[in-house]
Amino acid sequence: MGRRHPRLRRTPRRRPRPARPRHGRARPRPFGGALSTHQADHGPGLYAISDLHAGFDGNLDAIDRLRPRTDGDWLVVAGDVADRFGTIVDTLDRLRDRFARVVWTPGNHDLWTPPGDPVQARGAERYGALVDALRRHDVTTPDDDWPVWTSGAGPVTIVPLHLLFDYSFRDTTGLSRREAVAEARRSGVMSSDEVYLHPDPFESRDAWSRALVDAARRRLDALPDGVRTVLVNHYPLERGPLARIRRAQIGMWAGTTATAGWAVRYRAEAVVYGHLHIPVTDVIEGVPHHEVSLGYPRERGHEWSRPRRALRLLEPGGADIVVTPS
């Protein structure tokens, strides 16, 4: 595990230009792919990455190399930027210096209140403080107007979702939420979310999750008919990708069954998520679901860990703009 480090290097801020990405093909494949000259000639691109975990020295080089190909490139960051408030803001500010737009949605680590963090706000208050801070740095959050990416095939609305987990992905049939968590603890499987992710002012994390799902659904339902989307969430929207995790009990902290079918219902051209640290694309009901995490330095040798790159969305095959050290 690397030593934590709070700072990244700053580069001059880029100015946006109209973007013209193409639609992507939908088939299972490892995440990423080499950037060819032909792909680079497509013009400005919409890229996505998650789980930067910028508190680890082993990730700093990869984050520093996360740079646009053109002045008009956008970057979607699907959560888990860091554990500490200041590192989250600092990292996204530096990325915004490089990219024409940065769109962020929170992960569980972003919402932690770890000991020693100068900002000790908890739960919804912590999320609100992050939104306020990131707005000052011109980073788009789930609470802002959803931006529209303009492509040759028409506009696509980028939808950053602020959602949590509600334990409904638990694999222990017949057990209540409390019983499933207790069973996981006895088995030596326990998420740090039970310690650092506080639900204040809600009575529980699943209660907060239900409120967030209801709010997101209302806003999505208000989209005009025919609007195409890219849905961005920290957690998978479907249960299927959880089949890849080694310890199934961890799945109860990895999303909610309430989002099943959202990709089709809300006309998604693509779904972007992270959290699992298994970068891969699945096609579910005809929609590509991209897991785009960078992950922890110690994970570099895992079979799913290569390549670790930012994925170009809505493109045939995708294209990377960063390659991490092995």
Side-chain angles (χ1 to χ4, degrees), residues 6-305:
R7 304 294 295 177
L8 301 173
R9 291 191 287 275
R10 183 179 295 273
T11 57
R13 180 154 292 181
R14 303 270 183 170
R15 297 295 183 186
R17 292 200 308 235
R20 301 183 60 196
R22 297 180 182 177
H23 290 291
R25 66 188 177 193
R27 67 180 181 85
R29 61 185 182 273
F31 158 52
L35 181 68
S36 70
T37 302
H38 176 68
Q39 287 170 324
D41 287 343
H42 286 174
L46 174 64
Y47 294 89
I49 197 165
S50 74
D51 296 79
L52 297 175
H53 294 290
F56 290 89
D57 274 357
N59 282 354
L60 292 181
D61 180 64
I63 298 170
D64 188 61
R65 294 162 62 197
L66 187 59
R67 295 173 183 274
R69 295 294 192 189
T70 76
D71 288 347
D73 289 348
W74 288 18
L75 182 66
V76 171
V77 183
D80 276 9
V81 177
D83 299 354
R84 291 176 178 265
F85 192 100
T87 308
I88 297 166
V89 175
D90 184 67
T91 302
L92 291 171
D93 178 39
R94 279 149 177 74
L95 291 173
R96 179 62 186 88
D97 281 346
R98 304 169 195 168
F99 287 85
R101 184 185 288 267
V102 171
V103 179
W104 165 81
T105 194
N108 52 314
H109 283 250
D110 302 325
L111 299 175
W112 282 5
T113 307
D117 191 331
V119 179
Q120 284 293 298
R122 294 158 54 118
E125 181 185 0
R126 187 174 188 85
Y127 169 72
L130 280 168
V131 168
D132 290 343
L134 293 173
R135 282 173 171 168
R136 291 193 291 271
H137 296 284
D138 197 29
V139 173
T140 302
T141 78
D143 287 9
D144 296 316
D145 292 338
W146 292 336
V148 177
W149 172 259
T150 303
S151 72
V156 179
T157 298
I158 311 303
V159 179
L161 296 165
H162 171 28
L163 300 174
L164 288 174
F165 57 88
D166 62 1
Y167 306 90
S168 58
F169 280 157
R170 59 185 180 270
D171 69 331
T172 45
T173 56
L175 295 184
S176 68
R177 185 260 293 174
R178 291 182 182 276
E179 291 169 336
V181 171
E183 176 64 25
R185 182 178 287 109
R186 285 192 292 271
S187 301
V189 179
M190 182 54 57
S191 171
S192 295
D193 292 342
E194 295 294 316
V195 178
Y196 301 127
L197 203 166
H198 304 284
D200 308 32
F202 297 87
E203 64 180 1
S204 63
R205 298 172 192 87
D206 37 334
W208 189 9
S209 176
R210 287 191 296 271
L212 292 172
V213 167
D214 289 345
R217 187 185 290 118
R218 286 193 300 270
R219 195 170 174 192
L220 284 163
D221 286 341
L223 286 171
D225 292 342
V227 169
R228 299 178 303 133
T229 66
V230 171
L231 300 181
V232 182
N233 191 42
H234 180 62
Y235 305 102
L237 297 183
E238 302 284 346
R239 184 192 291 268
L242 299 182
R244 293 190 180 93
I245 61 178
R246 289 181 295 174
R247 306 193 72 169
Q249 287 170 307
I250 290 293
M252 78 176 87
W253 292 283
T256 170
T257 57
T259 56
W262 278 23
V264 173
R265 178 177 178 178
Y266 297 116
R267 303 168 296 281
E269 294 293 309
V271 172
V272 174
Y273 70 98
H275 189 68
L276 302 185
H277 295 199
I278 305 173
V280 68
T281 292
D282 292 297
V283 178
I284 303 173
E285 295 187 271
V287 180
H289 291 237
H290 304 293
E291 208 282 5
V292 295
S293 25
L294 174 62
Y296 297 122
R298 65 176 180 268
E299 295 169 328
R300 299 290 188 258
H302 191 275
E303 61 178 312
W304 290 104
S305 70

